[in-house]
Amino acid sequence: GIQVEQSPPDLILQEGANSTLRCNFSDSVNNLQWFHQNPWGQLINLFYIPSGTKQNGRLSATTVATERYSLLYISSSQTTDSGVYFCAVLNDYKLSFGAGTTVTVRA
Amino acid sequence: GAVVSQHPSWVICKSGTSVKIECRSLDFQATTMFWYRQFPKQSLMLMATSNEGSKATYEQGVEKDKFLINHASLTLSTLTVTSAHPEDSSFYICSARRIVLANYGYTFGSGTRLTVV
């Protein structure tokens, strides 16, 4: 099956800092989603982004499908941004998840 | 829009008993739902695909007789963990598929934390 790799595995930020999370995938995909899992386990969809760039507030994402990677940018990080960020790719009809990046934002 | 409700949020049961988890799409119809399992500090692993009106499709290594899935309507799928054992303790999450931007988008329930004692 398709392989999804995320980096870095862990990220510690000072409040107000910017960061970039990366997702590499091994094959062409129909779609790609970024999720934030909060401490209670709820997965919140951040972006549907099979290609191109999208922005939503302090978050933005870019997917370069031809080079098989996607980036998630967090600007001016806040403590509420803490949690695990997952990239998931859609191949055929199934979502395959990366291992996630655990982000800790310190006040 | 696109809300998926999952119940219960947490459950504790005794070894040998069965537990049912419900997943409902509240504001859209979902012909296909998915069940995932997540161990602490790990990623989500797909267990099975639930198809409305037909049998579920299980991933390799998932015991279909242990994890019974029923998708009787376009808005409800249930996962029953039968004869639960402590090793079944985990976080179970469902998702429902819908059309987004001419492609598929997935919305997730809030998860069920199962503890078998």
Side-chain angles (χ1 to χ4, degrees), chain A:
Chain A
I2 193 166
Q3 304 300 311
V4 184
E5 296 182 353
Q6 290 186 243
S7 60
D10 298 282
L11 192 57
I12 298 175
L13 301 170
Q14 200 63 36
E15 199 170 27
N18 303 326
S19 65
T20 302
L21 283 60
R22 187 177 179 102
C23 172
N24 293 333
F25 42 97
S26 61
D27 203 348
S28 59
V29 297
N30 303 117
N31 207 342
L32 184 146
Q33 289 184 243
W34 282 98
F35 295 93
H36 175 218
Q37 188 171 38
N38 65 25
W40 297 273
Q42 174 74 60
L43 275 168
I44 308 297
N45 178 62
L46 300 176
F47 295 102
Y48 297 98
I49 185 164
S51 63
T53 296
K54 292 186 177 180
Q55 180 154 7
N56 184 1
R58 297 181 295 102
L59 300 180
S60 64
T62 295
T63 297
V64 183
T66 53
E67 297 187 23
R68 299 179 183 169
Y69 73 88
S70 183
L71 303 174
L72 178 69
Y73 305 96
I74 305 174
S75 64
S76 303
S77 58
Q78 300 177 0
T79 56
T80 52
D81 295 331
S82 295
V84 184
Y85 290 80
F86 287 106
C87 161
V89 300
L90 182 63
N91 184 262
D92 194 5
Y93 66 91
K94 296 180 183 180
L95 270 184
S96 296
F97 281 79
T101 293
T102 300
V103 173
T104 303
V105 182
R106 293 178 173 167

Side-chain angles (χ1 to χ4, degrees), chain A residues 6 29-31 33 35 37 39-45 48 50 54 84 86-88 90 92-100, chain B residues 4 32 34 36 38 41-46 49 57 59 91 93 95 97-98 100-101 103-111 113:
Chain A
Q6 290 186 243
V29 297
N30 303 117
N31 207 342
Q33 289 184 243
F35 295 93
Q37 188 171 38
W40 297 273
Q42 174 74 60
L43 275 168
I44 308 297
N45 178 62
Y48 297 98
K54 292 186 177 180
V84 184
F86 287 106
C87 161
L90 182 63
D92 194 5
Y93 66 91
K94 296 180 183 180
L95 270 184
S96 296
F97 281 79
Chain B
V4 173
T32 306
F34 303 85
Y36 295 82
Q38 186 181 29
K41 298 189 184 299
Q42 294 189 23
S43 188
L44 281 74
M45 297 302 297
L46 180 64
T49 302
T57 305
E59 295 300 300
F91 191 59
I93 310 175
S95 76
R97 184 176 71 177
R98 63 190 181 96
V100 176
L101 299 175
N103 213 317
Y104 289 121
Y106 294 74
T107 302
F108 285 77
S110 54
R113 197 164 303 279

